[in-house]
Amino acid sequence: MADSTNPTVYEIFQSMEQGPAAATSTATAQAWLDHHSRSLGFFMDGKFILPADRRSVSLTDSKGGVVCSTACAEDADISQCASSAAAGWTSWSSLSCSQRAKALLRFDSPTPNPDLSAGLVGVLGLHGQCVSELCALCEASCSPAALVRLLQYYSSWAQLRDMLIPGWTPVGVVVVVSSDDCSLYPLMLKVLPALAMGNSVIVVPGRSVAPPALLLAQLFTAAGLPAGTLNILTGSDVTLGAKVSRNPDVRLISYCGNKQDGLALCEASAGMGVPVSISSCVGATCPFIIFESADIDSAVDEVIQIAFKKKKEVHWVLCVQESVSDSVVARLKLRMADMKSVPLSSDADRVLVDAAVQEALQQGATLVQPCGASTGARYPPTVLCGAAPSSPYVVTPPPGPLLPLLTFRSNTEAVLLGNHSPHGHAASIWTEDLTLALETAKSLSVGSVWVNSSSVSDPCFPVSGHKDSGTGTDGGQEARSVPVPASFLFIPSSLSVSCFFGILKSYPQFVGGKACKSVSGCSVAVQAPGGDSVLVFCPDGGRKDVRNAVEAAIKVQPGWMKKSPSARSQSLYSLAKGLESRRKEVCASLGAQLGVPAEEADREVELSVGRLNVWAAYCDKVQGGSPPMTQSGAALSFPEPLGVVGIVLPDDAPLLSLVTVLGAAIATGNAVVMVPSQRFPLPALAFVQVLQSSDLPAGLVNIITGNRDQLTVALANHSVIKAIWYWGSAQGCQYLQHTCTSPLKTLRLSWQQAGEGRGAAPDWAQPHPSLLEDLWRNAVQWKSVWIPTASMSVEKR
């Protein structure tokens, strides 16, 4: 008979005391910190470096205890780290694809070092508990299994890179920056793809993720990663990433974290000639939608789990159909009755939460809270029933355990509520009607949609930040910073712009499907090739012309987006046929504008017809799909258009460059507002006649001529334009990077400056395959929809 002093099963489950295994693994993490005297420096050139007299910042745990301190880099440290990364890139990029894949997975060469023989995946298996416990101590939790999955997935892409993109070369040195409140997984989702593609990486981690990042860098280098390939540089804020990008070897900055720090990084790095990819994965407001056809009990359990019982990286807004709202509230009250207060980060957060609750009560909201009051930096889980969608605590909720609850009547109203937030990170939909779930998922402007689940992730699925949630794509082959070079193309040019005025023939611009004059009625002269005469006058467009063009584009773009890929393809084939039929007129405009022989002009027209045919063929060829799942269930991944794209065209190959970027934009479902070359606008104006005779919807393509800088300012300041592709001056690039942050716009910038640059101009006649690939990927944003089965074992970050 069992001893009566032994606890019963009920008592064991009530206490749920921690077992000794966790204490052992905690000691492992503590031992690693003690080995470094709890003062962590930088990791560069394959070793730890802690210079003397460096200012440091302390990292504290949830109880206020100091976990460790990290050093703040100065200019000398930045220079040393950049040199280390450049040397690491030389050795890492010189390896073959199979050698890099082997380094990520394992090493076959015998060695007495068990870490070196295991490779990166094996090292994570050996030291996974230490990594996990250090993440827990720093409140940057990440599952070692998720990191292993990342390594396995991108090591296979390292193996296949040259096969899929022949002749591709690594970008160079990539700087990855995270905010203080970002966890380890989003950071490594940017680091590992860059390493797999042959780049070296400088990581500027946030305060909480710095110790785990330093540990991983040490482990990866011990496993055989060449010294200098992965470097860690810590500091006091994210602007350290902008200081690192001043080094000429840096080719890309990739950021993950909250929006505020991302915008600060954009502004600090503006004008440095380095593209910035933003993923605002922290602090976004995400809808949790419960339809009347949902399993109410499962939905309520899940929303409580993600809203109150986890460290939240996003804020949730509960949207419930009116017919089941009473049932949902009753279940919330029942589940929350015994819940304890949740610790806040500081007393200042308590002030913000109290203010939000008082504002909600004044607006007529009712509270659902567990019994008992709380004081200090703790607050009880709270549901704000009857909240208004426009309330500040709904649009930008304060940090704390608050869950606004909104109600809706119809499916259309649910989509409107889901899209009301300025963020577009993710959404969770609960319904047993699969058709309703897929229709709602397609209509929501978010990067990830979870059906009857939440927070599921896998690296094989691309996820884009929609709206203010970012400009980059993470995961999958489609990650913009991984398979293709950086979006900046530095174009040396010795030509200067001059303008002559006279009285000559005037050409119209093209807005809303009609040839028209500018709103101002002014015109500018187009110079002849010799510089001694004026060819024609073209309209001098301005802000009001851009406004009219965007209004026309936004009306037609949703309908164009909904057309089938084959229908868009046929329209592009028709456009190519129309250009072929007007070959003589377009050739004459090219010859007159550029002063080139007729044969050369005819060749550019021929190439332009072919390029339109290429984009027509592209329309229905790359449309996402359903990548294999690592667990039971199904998931879909598909590209979506950005919306209205502003394009400022280059001077090189004025017709061919126009149709190349135009085809990429409209083939994927976007509408465009184009500014042709200020020096060579005549080929674009001749192309207007082709557009007028095509079957493209009126307003889909708009062409506005005039001063490049003035029109660029108008495009940047228009809130409806979702992306800008720019070929122009360094000052124009700097202006766009600094300005296009509110609302956040996707930028593809190309700098044209005399005698300077880090690369060569693209050959529009014979472009590298990566250029067309880059254009296409910059024209779409990705969405992943997760559909679990009853037996699905979800893997959550």
Side-chain angles (χ1 to χ4, degrees):
M1 183 175 177
D3 190 349
S4 59
T5 61
N6 290 338
T8 64
V9 173
Y10 175 79
E11 291 171 339
I12 293 174
F13 274 90
Q14 284 294 102
S15 62
M16 291 300 288
E17 295 178 354
Q18 190 71 32
T24 302
S25 57
T26 302
T28 304
Q30 298 283 9
W32 182 82
L33 290 172
D34 291 338
H35 176 73
H36 292 278
S37 303
R38 297 189 177 266
S39 295
L40 303 178
F42 318 121
F43 190 86
M44 58 184 77
D45 200 22
K47 58 183 180 294
F48 280 99
I49 297 175
L50 181 56
D53 302 326
R54 291 293 185 269
R55 186 171 63 90
S56 64
V57 293
S58 298
L59 173 64
T60 58
D61 57 21
S62 58
K63 297 180 180 179
V66 177
V67 177
C68 63
S69 63
T70 56
C72 295
E74 297 181 359
D75 290 344
D77 306 315
I78 294 172
S79 178
Q80 183 180 356
C81 187
S83 299
S84 170
W89 176 69
T90 301
S91 58
W92 182 241
S93 62
S94 64
L95 299 179
S96 66
C97 290
S98 59
Q99 288 174 321
R100 278 195 293 272
K102 188 180 294 185
L104 295 174
L105 284 174
R106 62 184 177 85
F107 275 84
D108 292 330
S109 58
T111 171
N113 186 345
D115 285 349
L116 185 59
S117 62
L120 270 61
V121 171
V123 162
L124 279 176
L126 290 172
H127 302 281
Q129 285 295 330
C130 181
V131 174
S132 178
E133 290 300 329
L134 187 58
C135 288
L137 283 173
C138 302
E139 298 183 2
S141 59
C142 178
S143 166
L147 296 179
V148 169
R149 170 61 182 152
L150 273 177
L151 274 170
Q152 291 173 338
Y153 179 76
Y154 282 111
S155 64
S156 62
W157 274 119
Q159 181 76 43
L160 299 174
R161 192 204 69 187
D162 285 351
M163 183 184 302
L164 296 177
I165 313 177
W168 188 89
T169 56
V171 172
V173 179
V174 176
V175 178
V176 178
V177 186
S178 71
S179 61
D180 289 341
D181 49 6
C182 183
S183 64
L184 184 62
Y185 185 87
L187 180 71
M188 299 309 294
L189 188 57
K190 292 181 176 293
V191 171
L192 294 180
L195 290 176
M197 294 297 102
N199 307 288
S200 65
V201 178
I202 299 175
V203 179
V204 182
R207 193 173 304 178
S208 62
V209 81
L214 287 164
L215 173 60
L216 287 178
Q218 180 185 12
L219 294 177
F220 287 0
T221 302
L225 200 66
T229 304
L230 179 58
N231 308 272
I232 311 294
L233 202 61
T234 55
S236 58
D237 55 49
V238 296
T239 57
L240 175 62
K243 297 177 182 177
V244 177
S245 67
R246 294 172 184 168
N247 188 278
D249 294 308
V250 174
R251 289 290 189 266
L252 175 69
I253 302 175
S254 190
Y255 168 84
C256 56
N258 61 62
K259 178 186 174 183
Q260 292 76 17
D261 286 346
L263 300 186
L265 178 63
C266 286
E267 294 175 356
S269 60
M272 295 181 182
V274 181
V276 182
S277 174
I278 301 293
S279 296
S280 299
C281 56
V282 177
T285 303
C286 303
F288 191 102
I289 303 175
I290 301 178
F291 288 100
E292 60 184 1
S293 55
D295 179 348
I296 304 298
D297 289 312
S298 298
V300 170
D301 288 342
E302 185 69 16
V303 75
I304 289 178
Q305 180 73 13
I306 63 177
F308 301 136
K309 292 187 178 182
K310 289 185 175 181
K311 179 187 176 182
K312 298 191 300 180
E313 289 192 348
V314 299
H315 301 286
W316 291 95
V317 174
L318 182 58
C319 305
V320 183
Q321 197 155 12
E322 277 190 357
S323 56
V324 294
S325 61
D326 292 340
S327 177
V328 169
V329 171
R331 285 170 169 80
L332 284 171
K333 291 180 179 178
L334 180 65
R335 303 289 202 281
M336 296 171 58
D338 298 325
M339 292 182 67
K340 298 179 180 179
S341 296
V342 177
L344 303 176
S345 299
S346 64
D347 291 334
D349 288 349
R350 175 62 188 252
V351 174
L352 295 175
V353 172
D354 285 335
V357 171
Q358 289 301 317
E359 182 182 10
L361 292 174
Q362 291 173 3
Q363 293 180 359
T366 57
L367 306 185
V368 175
Q369 287 180 326
C371 298
S374 63
T375 59
R378 300 181 67 87
Y379 203 84
T382 303
V383 178
L384 306 175
C385 301
S390 59
S391 300
Y393 59 86
V394 175
V395 179
T396 55
L402 300 184
L403 179 65
L405 188 152
L406 314 178
T407 58
F408 61 88
R409 295 184 178 88
S410 64
N411 303 342
T412 302
E413 190 175 346
V415 172
L416 290 175
L417 285 178
N419 288 332
H420 182 69
S421 168
H423 308 103
H425 178 61
S428 181
I429 299 172
W430 288 77
T431 176
E432 294 182 354
D433 185 341
L434 184 58
T435 301
L436 173 62
L438 293 178
E439 288 179 351
T440 306
K442 286 283 288 183
S443 301
L444 290 172
S445 182
V446 295
S448 294
V449 180
W450 300 298
V451 178
N452 297 333
S453 60
S454 68
S455 304
V456 188
S457 65
D458 191 89
C460 68
F461 288 88
V463 177
S464 296
H466 293 217
K467 298 187 286 189
D468 277 1
S469 288
T471 61
T473 298
D474 295 321
Q477 181 189 2
E478 295 79 7
R480 286 185 188 144
S481 62
V482 177
V484 295
S487 293
F488 274 74
L489 303 172
F490 296 86
I491 309 172
S493 173
S494 59
L495 300 178
S496 60
V497 179
S498 58
C499 193
F500 294 82
F501 292 87
I503 300 175
L504 206 62
K505 180 180 178 180
S506 179
Y507 273 73
Q509 57 190 10
F510 191 65
V511 176
K514 299 177 181 179
C516 59
K517 296 181 180 181
S518 67
V519 174
S520 65
C522 299
S523 298
V524 294
V526 179
Q527 183 183 352
D532 56 354
S533 62
V534 172
L535 275 177
V536 296
F537 280 95
C538 64
D540 186 14
R543 179 181 58 84
K544 292 184 178 180
D545 297 285
V546 171
R547 178 201 62 192
N548 295 340
V550 173
E551 288 179 356
I554 198 64
K555 289 179 181 178
V556 72
Q557 190 271 332
W560 176 251
M561 173 185 67
K562 293 177 182 177
K563 282 183 175 290
S564 66
S566 59
R568 294 200 297 267
S569 175
Q570 292 304 313
S571 294
L572 281 170
Y573 278 127
S574 175
L575 186 63
K577 185 177 179 181
L579 178 58
E580 177 73 31
S581 66
R582 292 185 176 271
R583 175 190 293 262
K584 183 180 294 186
E585 297 93 323
V586 178
C587 283
S589 69
L590 275 171
Q593 177 76 91
L594 303 178
V596 297
E599 295 79 8
E600 186 174 339
D602 186 72
R603 179 173 177 269
E604 181 167 345
V605 175
E606 181 66 28
L607 289 171
S608 299
V609 172
R611 192 63 47 79
L612 286 173
N613 286 327
V614 167
W615 288 122
Y618 232 95
C619 283
D620 56 357
K621 299 302 185 294
V622 185
Q623 291 297 322
S626 180
M629 293 279 289
T630 57
Q631 57 238 2
S632 61
L636 304 174
S637 173
F638 45 87
E640 294 184 335
L642 299 172
V644 180
V645 179
I647 302 176
V648 183
L649 292 164
D651 293 336
D652 301 310
L655 177 65
L656 184 56
S657 61
L658 182 150
V659 299
T660 300
V661 297
L662 170 66
I666 65 175
T668 49
N670 300 289
V672 296
V673 179
M674 309 185 78
V675 178
S677 166
Q678 185 174 341
R679 297 182 62 217
F680 308 124
L682 194 53
L685 296 177
F687 188 71
V688 166
Q689 301 177 25
V690 179
L691 292 171
Q692 285 179 301
S693 60
S694 71
D695 62 352
L696 294 176
L700 184 70
V701 180
N702 304 272
I703 297 178
I704 303 174
T705 58
N707 182 277
R708 171 185 283 162
D709 292 339
Q710 292 179 3
L711 293 174
T712 298
V713 171
L715 292 172
N717 290 323
H718 203 295
S719 61
V720 173
I721 293 178
K722 301 299 184 182
I724 295 179
W725 301 353
Y726 177 85
W727 283 262
S729 65
Q731 292 78 9
C733 292
Q734 179 180 6
Y735 175 81
L736 289 171
Q737 282 188 301
H738 193 275
T739 304
C740 297
T741 55
S742 182
L744 198 61
K745 291 179 172 61
T746 301
L747 300 179
R748 189 188 192 282
L749 307 177
S750 302
W751 157 348
Q752 179 173 334
Q753 182 165 329
E756 296 184 8
R758 306 181 188 178
D763 185 353
W764 295 102
Q766 295 180 338
H768 192 280
S770 64
L771 175 61
L772 298 184
E773 180 83 359
D774 186 35
L775 286 172
W776 183 81
R777 297 199 186 285
N778 274 273
V780 299
Q781 53 191 358
W782 286 85
K783 178 183 290 185
S784 295
V785 180
W786 299 81
I787 308 172
T789 60
S791 60
M792 180 177 181
S793 175
V794 297
E795 180 180 334
K796 300 184 179 180
R797 291 201 294 266

